[in-house]
Amino acid sequence: MAPQFALVDVNNFYVSCERVFQPKLQKVPMVVLSNNDGCAVARSNEVKALGVKMGTPWFKMKDLARKHGILAFSSNYTLYGDMSNRVVSILRDFSPDIEVYSIDESFLRVESDAHLFGGLGPMGQQIRERIRQWTGLPVCVGFGPSKTLAKLANHMAKKNAEFDGVCDLHAMSRLERRQWMSRIEVGEVWGVGRRINARLARMDIQTVLDLRNASPKAIRAQFGVVMERTCEELRGVPCLELEEIAPPKQQIMSSRSFGKPVECIEELHEAVATYVGRAAEKLRQQGSVSGAVYVFVQTNPFKENERQYNAGLTVPLLNPNDDTRVLIQAALRGLKAIYRTGYRYKKAGIMLTALSDKAIQQGTLFSEPGGGQRSARLMAAMDAVNREYGRNTLRAAASGIANAWAMRAENRSQCYTTRWEELPAVC
């Protein structure tokens, strides 16, 4: 069978998650803000219509918000992650071949399953209906003979009401498909960023059809093999397979801006230890160990009237490790070396680097007897407790308790689906 791909994308995902549990917010202009309630990372259609761009700082929107009644919500990633998992579990009922591309997008291979639902169009409508009924989230579905065309079809389904949320490029004639491509700017193609868009414009490639008709060899000469594959995919030649298992990360970073400026090293200790704990959990989830820890601090570059300082240091480990305690000790040694008094720190973070597969880790003369079994059992127990009862139920004492430095989230909604005490109530 010729490959047939689907892209399922939740519309305005963060905003839609908030509206599921607060139906009164339907049609209300609203935004979801980044960490520390800084800038807009999600906008409802009503806010987009007012001309608010992605990434607009909240303080610049306040006059507009008062005028149009725009509501602002702090990011609630626990809720969003759980809702994303629910959508993915539904999609697995439609096809076992799935790539979770992002928190709100998934690719599916559907050529062997579409007939079970009466074809691609009916399959897309059933996907929309079931996700809407079971989660309350609105989605659009795009079908195409390649992943790039499926993503383009999804864009068409979102932007054109005539598709009713489902666009199937297979159902179009060759002429119809080319006509649609000629109306869409090349910047809407998956993988064409702002810089590539500008370079394509200088080559007189303005639309999707222009890129589709361009010589793949000429594109490769100018942009490399990735853009050559994009060009081929627009011709219906699948060059990208599903990544059903995400490759292990080569680096794991954890960083946040503080809710208030931090001056004392004790609070920096707590923040850095907390970030290491989060990164170490991800490290163990992918079965890796880290050979070095990078730690950094910085002041607020936008406070030009304050003294500025930023510094970072990589601390190598004697043996690659995934034990939170060992990683925290390394990070705090680095923090002690780069810390300077007299500064108001705005941000700190850590990065676990030199990652390798724990399963094939070679021991050394200084390795713990028994291959670190005691450490492994302790970390496994801590991870199990935190999965069962929530993040930070068990954590290192170095992470502190009060966490006065924690980021602001003054307008965060309830978790609804992941905490018993915050389950939605029906009156």
Side-chain angles (χ1 to χ4, degrees):
M1 288 185 177
Q4 294 176 351
F5 295 88
L7 177 66
V8 181
D9 184 12
V10 183
N11 304 337
N12 300 329
F13 181 59
Y14 294 170
V15 169
S16 296
C17 287
E18 299 290 350
R19 285 175 166 172
V20 166
F21 300 98
Q22 300 186 66
K24 63 183 180 181
L25 296 177
Q26 297 294 337
K27 306 300 181 183
V28 173
M30 58 180 290
V31 295
V32 174
L33 303 176
S34 61
N35 293 332
N36 281 311
D37 297 343
C39 59
V41 294
R43 304 153 294 154
S44 67
N45 290 334
E46 297 79 11
V47 172
K48 292 177 182 178
L50 294 173
V52 176
K53 303 297 183 183
M54 180 72 80
T56 302
W58 173 238
F59 75 89
K60 290 186 177 182
M61 283 189 279
K62 289 191 174 179
D63 289 340
L64 190 68
R66 281 191 289 268
K67 181 178 180 180
H68 296 279
I70 299 175
L71 300 182
F73 285 78
S74 303
S75 298
N76 189 343
Y77 295 117
T78 302
L79 174 64
Y80 308 151
D82 183 66
M83 295 296 285
S84 175
N85 291 337
R86 291 168 187 257
V87 170
V88 171
S89 68
I90 294 171
L91 293 177
R92 294 192 190 281
D93 291 338
F94 288 87
S95 173
D97 303 317
I98 182 171
E99 173 189 339
V100 181
Y101 177 66
S102 67
I103 194 170
D104 61 343
E105 293 178 285
S106 293
F107 285 102
L108 291 80
R109 282 283 295 262
V110 296
E111 64 268 14
S112 60
D113 304 290
H115 70 281
L116 301 174
F117 304 92
L120 293 178
M123 181 183 190
Q125 292 299 342
Q126 289 185 54
I127 290 174
R128 295 188 72 220
E129 181 180 354
R130 188 175 301 180
I131 292 176
R132 184 73 172 189
Q133 183 179 10
W134 291 11
T135 70
L137 295 171
V139 304
C140 284
V141 185
F143 294 100
S146 68
K147 290 172 70 175
T148 303
L149 284 175
K151 195 160 177 65
L152 180 68
N154 186 281
H155 170 80
M156 294 164 60
K158 275 189 174 182
K159 299 298 182 181
N160 300 276
E162 63 193 84
F163 291 112
D164 193 24
V166 177
C167 177
D168 176 16
L169 293 183
H170 298 88
M172 295 183 183
S173 67
R174 185 178 180 184
L175 177 60
E176 287 176 317
R177 192 184 299 182
R178 287 179 171 236
Q179 288 175 338
W180 277 105
M181 288 182 171
S182 68
R183 302 173 197 168
I184 303 173
E185 295 181 357
V186 71
E188 298 296 342
V189 173
W190 184 30
V192 177
R194 183 171 54 186
R195 292 183 180 179
I196 293 179
N197 192 6
R199 291 175 62 188
L200 288 172
R202 291 194 289 270
M203 298 171 62
D204 199 29
I205 297 177
Q206 306 286 346
T207 68
V208 177
L209 184 62
D210 293 337
L211 181 57
R212 185 255 179 225
N213 290 338
S215 165
K217 291 185 178 179
I219 294 297
R220 178 170 183 166
Q222 290 292 323
F223 301 97
V225 68
V226 174
M227 279 298 296
E228 179 191 23
R229 290 173 180 167
T230 298
C231 190
E232 292 284 9
E233 289 240 322
L234 289 174
R235 296 166 178 249
V237 180
C239 302
L240 305 173
E241 290 295 328
L242 291 186
E243 294 184 6
E244 298 182 44
I245 301 177
K249 295 180 179 179
Q250 299 303 305
Q251 297 175 329
I252 298 177
M253 184 173 184
S254 181
S255 174
R256 293 287 187 277
S257 295
F258 302 135
K260 67 177 186 65
V262 170
E263 299 182 60
C264 65
I265 194 170
E266 290 78 14
E267 290 189 344
L268 287 176
H269 274 177
E270 292 182 358
V272 167
T274 299
Y275 301 152
V276 171
R278 294 172 183 172
E281 186 175 346
K282 296 178 181 178
L283 181 72
R284 292 189 290 272
Q285 285 176 352
Q286 71 173 35
S288 299
V289 288
S290 173
V293 181
Y294 174 75
V295 58
F296 69 89
V297 294
Q298 67 181 56
T299 54
N300 190 342
F302 300 104
K303 297 283 180 123
E304 297 180 356
N305 59 326
E306 296 183 359
R307 298 175 64 198
Q308 298 295 314
Y309 174 71
N310 63 82
L313 182 68
T314 297
V315 181
L317 300 177
L318 186 61
N319 298 306
N321 214 302
D322 65 356
D323 190 313
T324 298
R325 300 166 301 172
V326 175
L327 299 173
I328 286 178
Q329 289 174 358
L332 294 186
R333 288 200 304 271
L335 177 62
K336 182 179 180 180
I338 62 176
Y339 173 74
R340 300 290 183 271
T341 59
Y343 293 95
R344 289 162 58 84
Y345 294 98
K346 177 62 176 175
K347 188 176 184 179
I350 65 95
M351 182 185 298
L352 304 182
T353 63
L355 305 190
S356 57
D357 189 341
K358 184 176 182 178
I360 57 175
Q361 192 64 33
Q362 182 176 354
T364 70
L365 178 63
F366 302 100
S367 298
E368 180 182 339
Q373 293 181 10
R374 292 180 60 189
S375 168
R377 288 197 298 268
L378 176 60
M379 293 299 106
M382 186 168 70
D383 291 344
V385 170
N386 288 333
R387 282 194 301 271
E388 181 72 19
Y389 298 102
R391 175 188 282 180
N392 292 333
T393 301
L394 284 181
R395 54 180 172 168
S399 300
I401 298 174
N403 296 158
W405 46 267
M407 67 179 184
R408 294 192 307 272
E410 299 169 356
N411 301 309
R412 180 177 292 163
S413 58
Q414 296 177 205
C415 286
Y416 294 117
T417 63
T418 58
R419 292 184 183 175
W420 286 106
E421 65 273 19
E422 295 185 8
L423 288 176
V426 178
C427 301

